[in-house]
Amino acid sequence: ARAWACARLAETYDLMLGRSWELGGAYHPSPGVTPEVVFPYAVEVLSEGTGGQPVTWVELTDLLHHPEQLRDGHLRTLAFRAGHALGALGGEA
């Protein structure tokens, strides 16, 4: 699944990707309601080409300081897991 996701990212956005990391393990976003399981990963972007769909880059610290703007629960969870992994929270979020 990881190889497939990285291939789709590279193809769709014309990215050259490096390493990937698991962000805290799988979780059930709606336990007891739906059977879905989420496996969050971070992927290193080494370079961005010009042939894919555009990518908008956002500073992780901006996401962490304004979580109310993260309307998607998966994105909010991912942002905070990445913040923990990178030590970007500093006790403020």
Side-chain angles (χ1 to χ4, degrees):
R2 187 186 310 190
W4 180 87
C6 286
R8 297 295 72 74
L9 284 169
E11 178 183 317
T12 303
Y13 300 103
D14 193 16
L15 303 173
M16 177 173 283
L17 303 176
R19 299 170 291 171
S20 63
W21 297 267
E22 185 175 330
L23 287 176
Y27 67 94
H28 298 268
S30 304
V33 178
T34 65
E36 77 179 313
V37 180
V38 177
F39 296 88
Y41 284 87
V43 180
E44 177 183 33
V45 175
L46 301 173
S47 66
E48 183 179 1
T50 58
Q53 293 182 25
V55 176
T56 301
W57 299 102
V58 179
E59 292 286 336
L60 178 59
T61 53
D62 289 343
L63 296 178
L64 297 174
H65 287 106
H66 301 285
E68 71 282 355
Q69 294 183 9
L70 298 173
R71 295 182 183 165
D72 181 90
H74 295 297
L75 181 56
R76 184 179 286 212
T77 299
L78 183 66
F80 278 93
R81 285 187 177 201
H84 281 290
L86 295 171
L89 291 173
E92 295 179 14

